[in-house]
């Protein structure tokens, strides 16, 4: 029997007709300040949605945002970029918003006085609840309705059924009614805060170091804690005024333990001064940056010795590393490939003064250029070698 081929034209029709809202499913509620959004003079109200994708933009056009005071059909072509937020509210002085609520005709204002709390619901175009949050003094507040009505562009009646307050679809914060308090989602949990910024810093930087050796600057740092920390921006300057971005290093997103990072910069000129720093911009736009650290690209005198004492030129096996230190200190020896990617950790521990150490690498290495990197408390040492 002859197999039927699926026409390419059919595939294109299927792809082009697929609903666009599917690409936005990962967007979630990240900040809510209730205020009084249906008041003409209110500038306190803020809602922010965050896109955790590191690469994809999300189109939220046709989604719905529902609070106790209004329902809004999000305008078409409302796009939130990778690792970015989109905000809803009214401009306040120098502060701007992505969507100015006072200019939206699709807002369905509600009546009634608020005596406790508020709620926030994100609904996709298929009328499914994507994310939801409320703050109140109990898990079963009376102000949560059984359903909410949604505005539509064609006059068709739309509504969404809301679950009980104890349903896991709801995020919840036990808090009194205060329209000036912001409720931010940090590390997956909702927290109350009196300002429009992250309650916990996205990252706490520590132990910033730069070392120059063998034509390469090593810029290293540690983070003591990370909260929704998606990336670190490594920047360099020649005058400590104008900085350029060298690389975006992926963060651990959420971590309560110390994380170590290393950036290797071979694109430097000898006998020059460079400044390095690392920055983070969190999902609320808050910037955390280290103080610049200076390095001069000149070889310095050290008290550490390392070399390759034995290799098999044909197979790259039987590789042995010898090193000794002029101080009692902590030493970590890494093996990197030509692209400065870590292959192995050869040694990690304390060494005694003038004691020679010999480490064997029981691993076959292909032909190419490699680097030994020995890190001490004060600097780094490089030893390049080639397997032919």
């Amino acid at each position: 029997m002859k197999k039927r081929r699926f026409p390419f034209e059919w595939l294109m029709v299927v792809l082009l007709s697929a609903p666009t809202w599917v690409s936005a499913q990962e967007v979630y509620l990240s900040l809510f300040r209730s205020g009084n959004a249906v008041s003409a003079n209110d500038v306190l109200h803020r809602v922010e949605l965050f896109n955790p994708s590191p690469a994809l933009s999300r189109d939220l056009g046709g989604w719905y945002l529902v609070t106790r005071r209004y329902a809004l059909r999000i305008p078409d072509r409302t796009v939130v970029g990778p690792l970015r937020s989109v905000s809803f509210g009214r401009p306040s002085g120098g502060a701007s918003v992505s969507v100015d609520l006072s200019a939206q005709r699709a807002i369905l204002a509600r009546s009634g006085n608020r005596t406790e709390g508020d709620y926030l619901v994100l609904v996709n175009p298929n009328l499914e609840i994507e994310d939801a949050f409320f703050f109140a003094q109990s898990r079963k507040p009376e102000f949560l309705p059984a359903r909410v009505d949604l505005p539509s562009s064609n006059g068709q009646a739309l509504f969404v059924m809301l679950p009980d307050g104890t349903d896991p679809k709801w995020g919840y914060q036990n808090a009194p009614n205060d329209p000036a308090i912001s409720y931010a989602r940090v590390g997956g949990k909702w927290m109350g805060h009196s300002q429009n910024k992250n309650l916990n810093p996205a990252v706490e930087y520590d132990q910033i170091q730069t070392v120059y050796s063998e034509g390469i600057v090593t810029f290293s740092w540690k983070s003591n804690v990370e909260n929704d920390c998606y990336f670190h921006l490594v920047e360099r300057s020649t005058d400590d005024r104008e900085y350029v971005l060298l690389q975006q290093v992926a963060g651990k997103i959420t971590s309560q333990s110390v994380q170590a990072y290393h950036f290797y910069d071979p694109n430097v000129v000898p006998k020059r001064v460079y400044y390095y720093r690392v920055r983070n911009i969190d999902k609320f736009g808050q910037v955390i940056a280290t103080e610049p650290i200076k390095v001069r690209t000149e070889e310095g005198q050290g008290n550490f010795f390392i070399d390759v004492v034995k290799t098999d030129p044909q197979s790259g096996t039987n590789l042995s590393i010898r090193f000794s230190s002029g101080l009692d200190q902590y030493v970590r020896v890494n093996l990197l490939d030509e692209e400065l990617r870590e292959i192995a950790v050869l040694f990690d521990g304390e060494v005694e003064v003038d004691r020679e150490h010999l480490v064997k690498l029981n691993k076959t290495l292909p032909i190419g250029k490699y680097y030994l990197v020995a890190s001490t408390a004060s600097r780094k040492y490089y030893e390049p070698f080639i397997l032919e």
Side-chain angles (χ1 to χ4, degrees):
M1 178 182 293
K2 185 178 181 180
K3 292 184 179 180
R4 296 183 60 187
R5 293 183 178 272
F6 191 88
F8 178 74
E9 293 79 8
W10 292 8
L11 176 61
M12 291 302 295
V13 169
V14 171
L15 292 176
L16 292 175
S17 62
T20 57
W21 59 265
V22 172
S23 65
Q25 288 181 338
E26 294 184 19
V27 173
Y28 63 81
L29 305 172
S30 60
L31 184 138
F32 179 37
R33 186 168 59 201
S34 64
N36 186 1
V38 297
S39 170
N41 298 320
D42 177 77
V43 292
L44 286 178
H45 178 73
R46 284 291 186 279
V47 172
E48 291 187 9
L49 311 179
F50 181 71
N51 173 17
S53 170
L56 299 178
S57 294
R58 310 295 189 183
D59 186 356
L60 299 179
W63 286 56
Y64 299 90
L65 202 57
V66 184
T67 75
R68 189 177 180 183
R69 302 305 301 269
Y70 68 87
L72 165 70
R73 183 182 185 276
I74 297 179
D76 294 337
R77 295 180 296 279
T78 300
V79 177
V80 53
L83 302 175
R84 293 292 184 270
S85 296
V86 59
S87 61
F88 300 81
R90 286 183 171 84
S92 172
S96 62
V97 292
S98 306
V99 177
D100 183 356
L101 294 182
S102 61
Q104 303 304 315
R105 297 181 180 179
I107 286 185
L108 176 64
R110 307 177 187 281
S111 60
N113 295 323
R114 181 181 65 248
T115 58
E116 179 197 8
D118 208 335
Y119 62 85
L120 177 63
V121 182
L122 180 63
V123 181
N124 68 36
N126 206 34
L127 304 187
E128 298 169 336
I129 298 175
E130 288 287 339
D131 202 2
F133 166 76
F134 71 89
F135 65 89
Q137 295 181 7
S138 72
R139 263 290 190 176
K140 291 187 176 182
E142 296 180 356
F143 62 75
L144 287 183
R147 58 174 267 181
V148 292
D149 300 318
L150 304 175
S152 65
S153 56
N154 56 12
Q156 179 183 0
L158 301 174
F159 66 90
V160 169
M161 301 300 297
L162 296 183
D164 179 80
T166 59
D167 190 283
K169 285 186 178 180
W170 289 102
Y172 166 69
Q173 176 70 24
N174 186 338
N177 174 30
D178 184 347
I181 289 183
S182 294
Y183 298 91
R185 182 179 262 165
V186 181
K189 298 180 180 180
W190 284 93
M191 301 180 180
H193 192 23
S194 59
Q195 300 181 30
N196 184 12
K197 65 180 181 180
N198 201 338
L199 181 62
N200 292 333
V203 62
E204 180 182 307
Y205 289 122
D206 195 8
Q207 298 186 37
I208 314 300
Q209 293 183 346
T210 53
V211 174
Y212 174 76
S213 182
E214 298 290 341
I216 299 174
V217 172
T218 299
F219 177 45
S220 60
W221 70 94
K222 290 184 178 180
S223 67
N224 292 331
V225 63
E226 297 187 14
N227 294 299
D228 292 336
C229 179
Y230 288 83
F231 54 82
H232 307 273
L233 303 175
V234 178
E235 299 175 328
R236 185 184 70 192
S237 172
T238 57
D239 57 9
D240 197 21
R241 291 190 297 270
E242 298 293 330
Y243 281 82
V244 297
L245 176 63
L246 297 181
Q247 185 168 318
Q248 180 173 296
V249 178
K252 302 300 181 183
I253 303 181
T254 299
S255 171
Q256 299 302 313
S257 59
V258 176
Q259 302 293 333
Y261 297 90
H262 304 280
F263 173 75
Y264 303 100
D265 185 7
N267 300 314
V268 292
V269 178
K271 298 184 179 180
R272 292 277 300 274
V273 172
Y274 294 92
Y275 299 85
Y276 292 83
R277 70 184 183 187
V278 59
R279 295 196 306 149
N280 171 268
I281 304 174
D282 72 11
K283 62 188 182 183
F284 306 114
Q286 185 175 351
V287 179
I288 297 175
T290 64
E291 291 293 328
I293 185 168
K294 181 172 68 173
V295 61
R296 184 171 180 83
T297 52
E298 289 184 355
E299 299 292 343
Q301 298 297 319
N303 54 8
F304 192 89
F305 169 81
I306 185 169
D307 69 344
V308 180
V309 296
K310 182 181 179 182
T311 59
D312 183 337
Q314 301 302 318
S315 64
T317 59
N318 300 324
L319 179 66
S320 297
I321 309 302
R322 180 179 61 191
F323 63 92
S324 62
S325 172
L327 299 171
D328 290 336
Q329 61 180 335
Y330 168 84
V331 174
R332 180 183 175 94
V333 181
N334 300 65
L335 177 64
L336 309 181
D337 65 11
E338 190 171 7
E339 299 299 324
L340 301 180
R341 294 172 298 199
E342 182 178 278
I343 298 175
V345 177
L346 304 180
F347 184 86
D348 189 6
E350 298 288 336
V351 298
E352 297 177 3
V353 59
D354 295 331
R355 177 184 175 184
E356 187 173 287
H357 292 260
L358 187 67
V359 179
K360 293 184 178 181
L361 175 65
N362 297 317
K363 182 176 183 178
T364 300
L365 297 176
I367 293 173
K369 185 176 182 179
Y370 297 88
Y371 295 90
L372 290 174
V373 182
S375 304
T376 69
S378 60
R379 60 167 296 180
K380 282 184 169 60
Y381 302 83
Y382 291 81
E383 180 64 26
F385 65 95
I386 296 176
L387 293 178
E388 299 176 343

